[in-house]
Amino acid sequence: MSLFDSAMKYLSKASSNSITCPICGKKSTHPANKVRQGQTLLCPSCKSLFVAPR
């Protein structure tokens, strides 16, 4: 693994948001770029798909 790959992996883990699922109410972490772009997220608890509110 190169230094660049290590840095990108670190930065992607550092930029995550805790989002509450609107169906089951459980919190989970999702990448910040997915939340900012309005992409569909998957709840790891109830497996429902949702878009995080802005």
Side-chain angles (χ1 to χ4, degrees):
M1 186 180 282
S2 70
L3 180 62
F4 180 73
D5 289 336
S6 298
M8 290 304 291
K9 191 173 190 179
Y10 174 76
L11 289 175
S12 68
K13 286 183 182 178
S15 61
S16 62
N17 292 347
S18 180
I19 305 293
T20 303
C21 174
I23 308 298
C24 68
K26 303 256 180 159
K27 285 192 172 193
S28 59
T29 57
H30 297 278
N33 61 346
K34 279 189 153 188
V35 175
R36 273 194 312 269
Q37 293 174 357
Q39 292 183 353
T40 304
L41 306 173
L42 175 67
C43 177
S45 179
C46 67
K47 306 297 186 223
S48 65
L49 295 172
F50 65 96
V51 176
R54 291 184 180 222

